[in-house]
Amino acid sequence: MKHYLSIKDIDNLSEWVKEARILKSQPKADKNLGANKTICLLFFNNSLRTRLSTQKAAMNLGLDVMVMNFGSEGWALEYGDGTIMNQNTSEHIKEAAQVVSQYCDIVAIRAFPSLTDKEQDEAEVVLNGFKKYTSIPVVNMESSVGHPLQALADAITLDEQNTKARPKVVLSWAPHPKALPHAVANSFVEMMGLQEADFVITHPEGYELNEAITQNATIEYDQKKALENADFVYVKNWSSYKDYGKILIQDPNWMMTKEKLGSAKFMHCLPVRRNVVVEDAVLDSDQSLVIEQANNRTYSAQIVLKKILESL
Amino acid sequence: MKHYLSIKDIDNLSEWVKEARILKSQPKADKNLGANKTICLLFFNNSLRTRLSTQKAAMNLGLDVMVMNFGSEGWALEYGDGTIMNQNTSEHIKEAAQVVSQYCDIVAIRAFPSLTDKEQDEAEVVLNGFKKYTSIPVVNMESSVGHPLQALADAITLDEQNTKARPKVVLSWAPHPKALPHAVANSFVEMMGLQEADFVITHPEGYELNEAITQNATIEYDQKKALENADFVYVKNWSSYKDYGKILIQDPNWMMTKEKLGSAKFMHCLPVRRNVVVEDAVLDSDQSLVIEQANNRTYSAQIVLKKILESL
Amino acid sequence: MKHYLSIKDIDNLSEWVKEARILKSQPKADKNLGANKTICLLFFNNSLRTRLSTQKAAMNLGLDVMVMNFGSEGWALEYGDGTIMNQNTSEHIKEAAQVVSQYCDIVAIRAFPSLTDKEQDEAEVVLNGFKKYTSIPVVNMESSVGHPLQALADAITLDEQNTKARPKVVLSWAPHPKALPHAVANSFVEMMGLQEADFVITHPEGYELNEAITQNATIEYDQKKALENADFVYVKNWSSYKDYGKILIQDPNWMMTKEKLGSAKFMHCLPVRRNVVVEDAVLDSDQSLVIEQANNRTYSAQIVLKKILESL
């Protein structure tokens, strides 16, 4: 594997999950694999789980790690071709990407969408800019349209917790006071497409995700119906995709409650706003898997970095 | 020892100081103790000495270190129970603390007080939040009410410099243009309570520290009288505790001078405002121990981390 | 060698370049040299290349690295002697420098000029403050008046690319929308003074660099004439030195083009504003050495740190 940019880069999900669970049982088994190699983590946005878990995974593999908050510590980047750079950007992605690859063997990047310019967001200028101009493997630590390290951690968590041949998994939209990206939902949907499961997406009308991603998934606008007999309920807010980046409704009836959840397991990528997205009673119960999901971020990153290191 | 939250967590001060001085003579002697273990340093506030000395101590013990400026790099935390999180906070301490403990074996935290809400400051929501919800040891890198790594470094410095069976040690308040926390003074007073010494606190009326902390200490409002025959003078500003967080006076007569100091040794935790808190002539003289105190921060942190690692 | 503050600290440039090129061919050969030693990288300003390449070089030598953004993570420093510190600065360079040296064996510092106060900029208060008050070696990661790690990397690049006994090297000023420092140009001129070359500086009138630095260099105000038969063209903007920190002209005719460049190699320290400083056609051609220069930053830093470690 060269890059890990989206769920599409996983050639065999069940095999990866199996290997990740072995890594989890002995995280330091490959501690010489990354010797004399360096990974750069470039953050264009805030991060808690991704920042710590990716560092941890890299250290488990014996990699040297350099962490950089590109926005505040580096230079404002230009992405346009042929731009006369006499405004606010002082370095072009062409140079930045090539330069970073002089100092490390792998680069991991977090770059959120604007949520104002759909075309530019979908072009993934930061991630694809690095991919295009760098000579080293690029790992997506959450881009405009995907968060494949999260979805892989979710797959590990599902595998650990699932007891059925074909579990029912529901992705349920939730209200939120701020406009949020589609990345987590997109990658979860793509990952579920690689699983044996009865998968349903539920959200209010107007909150349809990109059809190119949901084309093979079932969409049920009635949340109650969608949740019937669910084994796992993944709750997540996202802003409208059609009416790009807009908050159409904040209806509190879409919040996940203990009552609605029934006996299903609760999943969320975190951070989560309590009593807005989901009530305390769910998060504080044994049905919540959120901490397990966060824990599995380490092994999701570690299996990805391991595969990249093995093909360097 | 599980946590190091306050001076009260020291079971035998003279023994710890003795061990710290041995570490100082051979800082790398335990460099395998932290192998395959990770410490997270979470800063909610600025730091120079604590940032560098705690990293250094951790590296001396062979720990992997992840440093994070939580305020600017992570998410705004919520501490209230049952809050409907539809305002500015996006992650609850319950999740944040549990999540961080998935990625490291020890967490160290710096979180200053607001100095506007006494009750909330004394509840130590950040430090105690992590303590309550995390499963790993928590180290206090200066909280609202205490700075026990500093006071332990001060104890090491006193032990190195003291030649008397019962030295006279004075904690002398100093003027300062900004309202400062009580943490350093509190922990110093608590630490002195574990020492054989003639200990006197001097400050203008209205600047009494929390009585629960100073109950066994002598308070002398007349600075001149307090300083008579002093062997060590620890100078520090703090804002009013009674009139919480307020600056009552800035009387320059309370500044420490060479004349007032006499033949005593001068101590301060740094950073220090020259010619406001203490005059140049003191800091630039051989009587100043401030750089030694800063140096001992490494061994104070290292003995604490060593004891935690030994009981993991 | 004790410090690396300017090009003047290079005792034998051709020998250093030769050694750096050997290091480049086996970067990990000295990976035990820095064992049990620590370097602090203190950034008072933004950085991409310097941040990553200096870390990389230090790790190649087995040093532990602590990176600190002093401005945002530490305390505002005071540099004046005898100042009554009752304003915005909370720590004096005297303490800060001594304190940092308690925690590391080498300190590297980036501190840009104000470009408003020539006298203060030339006093290099940050760099010289650390040099004066610290007991450990100080490395200049770009100060007010010099960027000797960059110029040493440039010397390595020239050595790798040059095929002539006496190449013609031109330093050509370029327009830029912001007022930039003289540091890169100064160090490049000083470095060229140690080379066998036909060296010419070209810039519009009013953009003369400090005469103390350019005294032995040829200045040719006619860019076309200057570029005749050039083998290497180093392009760089700087603000006026005489009319300190001012932008006198932004004449786009001074931009470097493929046509003007002829068959010469193009050099720039980066970041570079495309189509303002130099046109795309140059940067995107094989004549551009900018990525090689960036790559050589690692070996420039590594040879400097190696020499410092060897004399510790």
Side-chain angles (χ1 to χ4, degrees):
Chain A
M1 182 178 54
K2 173 82 192 223
H3 304 293
Y4 185 68
L5 301 174
S6 87
I7 290 297
K8 293 185 185 67
D9 293 314
I10 300 176
D11 58 8
N12 185 331
L13 179 62
S14 65
E15 191 54 43
W16 285 38
V17 166
K18 197 174 138 191
E19 290 178 46
R21 291 185 62 181
I22 293 170
L23 280 182
K24 188 176 180 175
S25 69
Q26 37 186 333
K28 294 283 184 180
D30 303 292
K31 70 179 174 185
N32 296 318
L33 187 62
N36 296 335
K37 294 207 166 53
T38 304
I39 187 171
C40 259
L41 312 186
L42 304 184
F43 290 94
F44 289 79
N45 303 94
N46 283 21
S47 172
L48 169 58
R49 277 148 289 275
T50 300
R51 184 181 294 272
L52 298 182
S53 66
T54 313
Q55 271 187 82
K56 182 68 181 291
M59 297 189 304
N60 280 345
L61 294 164
L63 282 161
D64 284 330
V65 185
M66 298 197 283
V67 179
M68 181 170 171
N69 296 312
F70 209 98
S72 61
E73 297 176 343
W75 309 106
L77 293 187
E78 174 63 43
Y79 300 96
D81 259 338
T83 311
I84 298 171
M85 290 170 60
N86 57 4
Q87 298 300 313
N88 296 320
T89 55
S90 44
E91 176 140 44
H92 200 282
I93 181 72
K94 287 189 188 180
E95 274 73 52
Q98 290 181 79
V99 162
V100 166
S101 32
Q102 306 306 308
Y103 310 130
C104 46
D105 302 282
I106 304 173
V107 61
I109 296 161
R110 161 161 289 198
F112 289 171
S114 65
L115 291 182
T116 55
D117 183 335
K118 189 192 251 185
E119 197 181 352
Q120 189 188 287
D121 287 352
E122 300 207 320
E124 297 266 38
V125 289
V126 186
L127 197 71
N128 285 330
F130 272 91
K131 181 191 165 194
K132 184 167 179 186
Y133 297 111
T134 197
S135 52
I136 60 174
V138 178
V139 174
N140 181 348
M141 296 198 296
E142 189 171 347
S143 67
S144 297
V145 305
H147 195 353
L149 287 175
Q150 178 65 52
L152 180 53
D154 298 336
I156 298 168
T157 310
L158 281 169
D159 189 66
E160 289 175 332
Q161 300 287 336
N162 180 39
T163 55
K164 295 191 178 168
R166 191 177 169 81
K168 181 172 181 187
V169 180
V170 181
L171 172 61
S172 182
W173 181 90
H176 197 283
K178 286 178 62 185
L180 294 191
H182 312 92
V184 168
N186 286 346
S187 290
F188 188 76
V189 173
E190 291 183 300
M191 182 275 290
M192 286 310 301
L194 308 176
Q195 298 263 14
E196 199 60 44
D198 176 12
F199 180 54
V200 180
I201 307 172
T202 183
H203 53 70
E205 292 199 35
Y207 278 100
E208 291 76 14
L209 292 162
N210 183 350
E211 266 184 45
I213 289 169
T214 58
Q215 55 190 353
N216 297 317
T218 305
I219 297 170
E220 168 56 65
Y221 294 103
D222 181 338
Q223 191 191 36
K224 195 176 171 183
K225 218 164 174 178
L227 292 174
E228 273 170 16
N229 301 314
D231 296 297
F232 297 91
V233 179
Y234 202 106
V235 175
K236 183 74 188 81
N237 167 268
W238 58 86
S239 54
S240 176
Y241 178 73
K242 283 181 185 169
D243 198 358
Y244 192 65
K246 291 288 182 304
I247 297 176
L248 307 180
I249 64 155
Q250 296 200 7
D251 184 355
N253 289 317
W254 278 85
M255 179 174 82
M256 188 52 50
T257 62
K258 196 111 199 290
E259 194 189 341
K260 286 192 207 170
L261 187 64
S263 61
K265 298 287 190 183
F266 172 81
M267 298 178 78
H268 190 283
C269 60
L270 304 182
V272 66
R273 287 175 177 250
R274 285 176 167 251
N275 305 311
V276 175
V277 167
V278 52
E279 65 175 8
D280 282 339
V282 173
L283 282 167
D284 296 336
S285 79
D286 289 346
Q287 287 167 258
S288 172
L289 302 178
V290 297
I291 304 302
E292 276 311 304
Q293 288 174 268
N295 179 271
N296 284 328
R297 291 293 308 274
T298 302
Y299 309 105
S300 143
Q302 194 167 334
I303 187 67
V304 165
L305 296 179
K306 186 185 174 190
K307 285 181 179 290
I308 288 173
L309 284 170
E310 285 171 346
S311 50
L312 276 185
Chain B
M1 182 178 54
K2 173 84 192 223
H3 304 292
Y4 185 68
L5 301 173
S6 87
I7 291 296
K8 294 185 184 67
D9 293 314
I10 301 176
D11 57 8
N12 184 331
L13 179 62
S14 64
E15 191 54 44
W16 285 38
V17 166
K18 199 174 138 190
E19 290 178 45
R21 292 185 61 181
I22 293 170
L23 280 181
K24 187 175 179 175
S25 68
Q26 37 186 333
K28 294 283 184 180
D30 303 291
K31 71 179 175 184
N32 296 318
L33 187 62
N36 297 335
K37 293 206 165 53
T38 304
I39 187 171
C40 258
L41 311 187
L42 304 183
F43 290 93
F44 289 80
N45 304 94
N46 282 22
S47 172
L48 169 59
R49 277 148 288 276
T50 300
R51 184 181 294 271
L52 298 182
S53 65
T54 314
Q55 271 187 82
K56 183 68 181 290
M59 297 188 304
N60 281 345
L61 293 164
L63 281 161
D64 285 330
V65 185
M66 298 196 284
V67 179
M68 182 171 171
N69 296 312
F70 210 98
S72 60
E73 298 176 342
W75 309 106
L77 293 187
E78 173 63 43
Y79 300 96
D81 258 338
T83 311
I84 297 170
M85 290 171 59
N86 57 5
Q87 299 299 313
N88 296 320
T89 56
S90 45
E91 176 141 44
H92 200 282
I93 180 72
K94 288 189 188 182
E95 275 73 52
Q98 290 181 79
V99 162
V100 166
S101 34
Q102 306 307 308
Y103 310 131
C104 46
D105 301 281
I106 304 173
V107 62
I109 295 160
R110 161 162 289 199
F112 289 172
S114 65
L115 291 182
T116 55
D117 182 335
K118 188 192 252 185
E119 196 181 350
Q120 190 189 287
D121 287 352
E122 300 207 320
E124 297 266 39
V125 290
V126 186
L127 197 71
N128 285 330
F130 272 92
K131 182 191 164 193
K132 185 168 179 184
Y133 297 112
T134 196
S135 51
I136 60 175
V138 178
V139 174
N140 181 349
M141 296 198 296
E142 189 172 345
S143 67
S144 297
V145 305
H147 195 354
L149 287 174
Q150 178 66 52
L152 180 52
D154 297 336
I156 298 168
T157 310
L158 281 170
D159 189 66
E160 289 175 331
Q161 301 286 335
N162 180 39
T163 56
K164 295 191 179 169
R166 192 178 169 80
K168 182 172 179 186
V169 180
V170 182
L171 172 62
S172 183
W173 181 90
H176 197 284
K178 286 179 59 186
L180 293 191
H182 312 92
V184 169
N186 286 346
S187 290
F188 188 76
V189 172
E190 292 184 299
M191 181 276 288
M192 286 309 300
L194 307 176
Q195 298 263 15
E196 198 61 43
D198 176 13
F199 180 56
V200 180
I201 307 172
T202 183
H203 53 69
E205 291 198 37
Y207 277 101
E208 290 76 14
L209 292 163
N210 183 351
E211 265 184 45
I213 289 169
T214 58
Q215 54 190 352
N216 296 317
T218 305
I219 298 170
E220 168 57 65
Y221 294 102
D222 181 338
Q223 191 191 34
K224 194 176 171 185
K225 219 164 173 177
L227 293 173
E228 274 170 16
N229 301 312
D231 296 297
F232 297 92
V233 179
Y234 201 106
V235 174
K236 183 75 188 80
N237 168 268
W238 57 87
S239 54
S240 175
Y241 178 73
K242 282 181 184 169
D243 198 356
Y244 192 67
K246 291 289 182 302
I247 296 177
L248 307 180
I249 64 155
Q250 296 201 8
D251 184 356
N253 288 317
W254 278 85
M255 180 175 80
M256 188 52 50
T257 63
K258 196 110 200 288
E259 192 189 341
K260 285 191 208 172
L261 187 63
S263 62
K265 298 286 191 183
F266 172 80
M267 299 179 77
H268 190 283
C269 59
L270 305 181
V272 67
R273 286 173 178 252
R274 285 176 167 251
N275 305 311
V276 175
V277 168
V278 52
E279 64 175 8
D280 282 340
V282 173
L283 282 167
D284 296 335
S285 78
D286 289 347
Q287 287 167 258
S288 171
L289 302 179
V290 298
I291 303 304
E292 276 310 304
Q293 289 173 267
N295 178 271
N296 283 327
R297 290 294 308 275
T298 302
Y299 309 104
S300 143
Q302 195 167 334
I303 188 66
V304 165
L305 295 179
K306 185 184 175 190
K307 284 180 179 291
I308 288 174
L309 284 169
E310 286 170 346
S311 51
L312 274 184
Chain C
M1 182 179 53
K2 173 82 193 226
H3 304 293
Y4 185 68
L5 301 174
S6 87
I7 290 297
K8 294 185 184 69
D9 293 315
I10 301 176
D11 57 8
N12 185 330
L13 179 62
S14 65
E15 191 54 44
W16 285 39
V17 166
K18 197 174 140 191
E19 289 179 46
R21 291 185 63 180
I22 294 170
L23 280 180
K24 187 175 179 174
S25 69
Q26 37 186 332
K28 293 284 184 180
D30 303 291
K31 72 179 174 185
N32 295 318
L33 187 63
N36 297 335
K37 294 206 165 52
T38 304
I39 186 170
C40 258
L41 311 186
L42 304 184
F43 290 93
F44 289 79
N45 303 94
N46 282 22
S47 171
L48 170 59
R49 277 148 288 276
T50 300
R51 184 181 293 273
L52 298 182
S53 65
T54 314
Q55 271 186 82
K56 183 68 180 292
M59 296 188 305
N60 280 345
L61 294 164
L63 281 161
D64 284 331
V65 185
M66 298 197 284
V67 179
M68 182 170 170
N69 296 313
F70 209 97
S72 60
E73 297 176 343
W75 308 107
L77 293 187
E78 174 63 43
Y79 300 96
D81 259 337
T83 310
I84 297 170
M85 290 171 59
N86 57 4
Q87 299 299 314
N88 295 322
T89 55
S90 45
E91 176 141 44
H92 201 282
I93 181 72
K94 287 189 189 181
E95 274 73 52
Q98 290 181 79
V99 162
V100 167
S101 33
Q102 307 306 307
Y103 310 131
C104 46
D105 302 282
I106 304 172
V107 61
I109 295 161
R110 161 162 289 200
F112 289 171
S114 65
L115 291 182
T116 55
D117 183 335
K118 190 192 250 185
E119 196 182 350
Q120 189 188 285
D121 287 352
E122 300 207 320
E124 296 266 39
V125 290
V126 185
L127 196 71
N128 285 330
F130 272 92
K131 181 191 167 194
K132 184 167 179 185
Y133 297 112
T134 197
S135 51
I136 60 174
V138 177
V139 173
N140 181 349
M141 296 198 297
E142 189 171 345
S143 67
S144 297
V145 304
H147 195 354
L149 287 175
Q150 178 65 52
L152 179 53
D154 298 336
I156 299 168
T157 310
L158 282 169
D159 189 66
E160 289 175 332
Q161 301 286 336
N162 180 39
T163 55
K164 295 190 180 170
R166 192 177 168 82
K168 181 172 180 186
V169 179
V170 181
L171 172 61
S172 182
W173 181 90
H176 196 284
K178 284 178 61 184
L180 293 191
H182 311 92
V184 168
N186 286 347
S187 290
F188 187 75
V189 173
E190 291 184 300
M191 182 275 288
M192 286 310 301
L194 307 176
Q195 299 262 16
E196 199 60 44
D198 175 13
F199 179 56
V200 181
I201 307 172
T202 182
H203 53 68
E205 292 198 37
Y207 278 100
E208 290 76 13
L209 292 163
N210 183 351
E211 266 185 43
I213 290 170
T214 58
Q215 54 190 353
N216 297 317
T218 305
I219 297 171
E220 168 55 64
Y221 293 103
D222 182 338
Q223 191 191 34
K224 196 177 170 183
K225 218 165 176 177
L227 292 173
E228 273 170 16
N229 301 313
D231 296 297
F232 297 91
V233 178
Y234 201 107
V235 174
K236 183 76 188 80
N237 167 268
W238 58 86
S239 54
S240 176
Y241 178 73
K242 282 181 183 168
D243 198 357
Y244 192 67
K246 291 289 182 301
I247 297 176
L248 308 179
I249 65 155
Q250 296 200 8
D251 184 356
N253 288 317
W254 278 85
M255 180 175 80
M256 187 53 50
T257 62
K258 197 111 199 288
E259 193 188 342
K260 286 192 207 170
L261 187 64
S263 62
K265 298 285 190 184
F266 172 80
M267 299 178 76
H268 190 283
C269 59
L270 304 182
V272 67
R273 287 174 177 250
R274 284 176 168 252
N275 304 311
V276 174
V277 167
V278 52
E279 65 175 7
D280 282 340
V282 173
L283 282 166
D284 296 336
S285 78
D286 289 347
Q287 287 167 259
S288 172
L289 302 178
V290 297
I291 304 303
E292 276 311 305
Q293 289 174 266
N295 179 271
N296 283 328
R297 291 293 308 275
T298 302
Y299 309 104
S300 144
Q302 195 167 334
I303 188 67
V304 165
L305 295 179
K306 185 184 176 191
K307 285 180 179 289
I308 288 174
L309 284 169
E310 285 171 346
S311 51
L312 275 185

